[in-house]
Amino acid sequence: MSSAAPSAEPRNKTRESLKHHGVRLTRQRQILLDLIDNSGEHLDAERLFQLAKLKDPKLNRVTVYRTLKMLKESGLVDELDLMHQAGDQHFYETRLKQEHAHIICLRCGRVEEFFGEPLQKLRRQVESHFGFQIMLARTEIGGYCAHCQALRAQEMREVAEQPALPPVRRKPL
Amino acid sequence: MSSAAPSAEPRNKTRESLKHHGVRLTRQRQILLDLIDNSGEHLDAERLFQLAKLKDPKLNRVTVYRTLKMLKESGLVDELDLMHQAGDQHFYETRLKQEHAHIICLRCGRVEEFFGEPLQKLRRQVESHFGFQIMLARTEIGGYCAHCQALRAQEMREVAEQPALPPVRRKPL
DNA sequence: GTTAGTGCAAACCTTTTGCAGCTCT
DNA sequence: AGAGCTGCAAAAGGTTTGCACTAAC
């Protein structure tokens, strides 16, 4: 990684957009926007709150929820469920990237992104087929990544040999 | 619609599958299975509970949750979020149908289903691209149906004329 | 100076858990 | 008979709301 802030341009785009909607750029919101734009991960409200607290220990969890709600309603972030792999919380990502599907490994929790023409094609077909005006789209695919397929096979063998152990769901790597 | 029970065959399929997993077909589960297979809607736990109570007033909400969890883990039903259009609850449908996307109108809440080859194509591409073993897939598209696009335009005009009224989100039709 | 936004506490909604008693097979 | 399932009560997890105070414009 270079030392230059990689999100300088997108961040500005986001801030422009907010100003247009008459939204105040408070210190708290700047912190949260930075985190959402910069962290490569898919953050949930709690994780975002923990990260934000490092920069401003007085920042409240409620402010995180309110900011996320506002960003979602302004169309600046997308809300994901990631197949509820880690619970029922929601995850967030900027809408600056091209549309993509999320591929979630149900064993290790790893999330891959898939960009590909079927997504655009689906969009176009839905629009023309129903005369539908698409505002948001979300595709999530759950299953087992190449790595975990092998490990799962191994685990099944072990369970078969030791019937005393129930087939508990393993924690992420 | 004919007078014959339309789900006699699928219901048996489901029951077979459950027996294979060593699951008991209790009275409560039969009621819930019938409702899920037969009602054309996408039911959430609460609605399913209300409908089930009509057939057995003693049936408990917890049993609904436990049954849904079991059906989901057995791969017999799919869990949907429907873009959280109506709150954060989950919706359920049998897995007997072919894979399809759910198209949710953000104004009236109506849900359409879209079957089309982009979904299969996406599946195949993800499998081959990542060597991924897909267990479940979910595509949800939110926006405005043809009917509501016109109504929304009308609403926007009204709001522009009477700035006193805030642009509240309208209830479903 | 106004009005929007924040923090705090408390409520809320959906879902899960512990446990005693009941019921399918 | 006995494991599996149910009902009840209570808790948990995630998110929202009411209200007084604060800060951005």
Side-chain angles (χ1 to χ4, degrees), chain A residues 73-93:
Chain A
E73 286 171 357
S74 312
L76 292 169
V77 301
D78 274 325
E79 190 177 62
L80 314 172
D81 297 294
L82 300 183
M83 284 294 178
H84 309 122
Q85 213 277 331
D88 282 357
Q89 73 283 64
H90 301 143
F91 297 85
Y92 298 87
E93 66 179 7

Side-chain angles (χ1 to χ4, degrees), chain A:
Chain A
M1 284 199 193
S2 95
S3 55
S7 70
E9 197 230 301
R11 182 163 56 221
N12 291 344
K13 233 200 257 182
T14 304
R15 293 182 181 196
E16 289 291 300
S17 179
L18 286 178
K19 273 189 198 166
H20 273 259
H21 290 251
V23 169
R24 289 184 188 169
L25 275 116
T26 61
R27 183 173 37 78
Q28 293 90 330
R29 284 179 180 169
Q30 307 210 28
I31 293 174
L32 295 172
L33 283 174
D34 271 11
L35 286 170
I36 295 172
D37 279 350
N38 282 20
S39 98
E41 319 168 57
H42 296 103
L43 301 167
D44 66 355
E46 183 61 24
R47 180 135 177 67
L48 183 54
F49 171 54
Q50 296 302 338
L51 292 173
K53 262 205 310 197
L54 298 177
K55 304 201 181 179
D56 175 357
K58 309 215 67 181
L59 193 148
N60 194 278
R61 184 182 274 104
V62 173
T63 298
V64 175
Y65 280 107
R66 282 195 279 232
T67 301
L68 286 173
K69 189 174 195 175
M70 182 219 73
L71 291 172
K72 184 176 41 162
E73 286 171 357
S74 312
L76 292 169
V77 301
D78 274 325
E79 190 177 62
L80 314 172
D81 297 294
L82 300 183
M83 284 294 178
H84 309 122
Q85 213 277 331
D88 282 357
Q89 73 283 64
H90 301 143
F91 297 85
Y92 298 87
E93 66 179 7
T94 50
R95 250 186 139 172
L96 299 167
K97 277 205 239 180
Q98 206 202 340
E99 183 179 346
H100 51 277
H102 290 97
I103 321 293
I104 304 107
C105 179
L106 300 174
R107 187 181 171 282
C108 69
R110 179 158 183 183
V111 179
E112 299 279 358
E113 300 186 339
F114 179 79
F115 305 75
E117 48 85 24
L119 291 167
Q120 277 76 50
K121 207 162 190 175
L122 177 66
R123 244 190 135 85
R124 272 182 266 120
Q125 287 192 12
V126 167
E127 284 169 347
S128 63
H129 190 288
F130 297 106
F132 199 83
Q133 181 187 4
I134 296 177
M135 305 301 289
L136 9 65
R138 182 157 82 198
T139 297
E140 301 188 335
I141 296 178
Y144 298 101
C145 69
H147 182 234
C148 285
Q149 282 168 44
L151 294 173
R152 240 167 72 86
Q154 174 65 28
E155 284 164 13
M156 309 255 249
R157 252 175 272 124
E158 287 168 11
V159 169
E161 284 161 19
Q162 317 177 10
L165 286 174
V168 288
R169 191 185 294 183
R170 289 290 170 89
K171 280 280 161 205
L173 294 177

Side-chain angles (χ1 to χ4, degrees), chain A residues 101 103 114 141, chain B residues 121-132 134:
Chain A
I103 321 293
F114 179 79
I141 296 178
Chain B
K121 207 161 189 175
L122 177 66
R123 243 190 136 85
R124 273 181 265 121
Q125 287 191 14
V126 167
E127 284 169 347
S128 64
H129 190 288
F130 296 107
F132 199 84
I134 297 177

Side-chain angles (χ1 to χ4, degrees), chain B residues 14-146:
Chain B
T14 304
R15 295 183 177 194
E16 289 290 299
S17 179
L18 286 178
K19 275 190 196 164
H20 272 259
H21 291 250
V23 170
R24 289 188 188 166
L25 276 118
T26 61
R27 184 175 37 80
Q28 292 90 332
R29 284 180 181 167
Q30 306 208 28
I31 292 172
L32 296 171
L33 284 174
D34 270 12
L35 286 170
I36 295 172
D37 279 351
N38 281 20
S39 99
E41 319 169 57
H42 295 104
L43 302 167
D44 66 353
E46 185 59 24
R47 181 133 176 71
L48 184 54
F49 171 54
Q50 296 302 338
L51 292 174
K53 261 206 308 198
L54 299 178
K55 304 200 183 182
D56 175 357
K58 308 217 66 180
L59 193 149
N60 194 278
R61 184 182 273 105
V62 174
T63 298
V64 175
Y65 280 108
R66 281 195 280 233
T67 301
L68 286 173
K69 190 174 195 176
M70 180 219 75
L71 291 173
K72 184 175 44 164
E73 286 171 356
S74 313
L76 292 169
V77 301
D78 274 324
E79 189 178 62
L80 314 172
D81 297 293
L82 300 183
M83 284 293 180
H84 308 122
Q85 214 275 334
D88 281 357
Q89 72 283 65
H90 301 143
F91 298 85
Y92 298 87
E93 67 180 6
T94 50
R95 251 187 136 170
L96 299 166
K97 277 205 240 180
Q98 207 202 339
E99 182 178 348
H100 51 276
H102 290 98
I103 321 293
I104 303 106
C105 179
L106 301 173
R107 186 179 172 284
C108 68
R110 178 158 183 181
V111 179
E112 298 279 358
E113 301 186 339
F114 179 79
F115 305 75
E117 48 84 24
L119 292 167
Q120 277 75 51
K121 207 161 189 175
L122 177 66
R123 243 190 136 85
R124 273 181 265 121
Q125 287 191 14
V126 167
E127 284 169 347
S128 64
H129 190 288
F130 296 107
F132 199 84
Q133 181 188 5
I134 297 177
M135 304 300 289
L136 8 66
R138 183 157 83 199
T139 296
E140 301 187 336
I141 295 179
Y144 298 102
C145 68

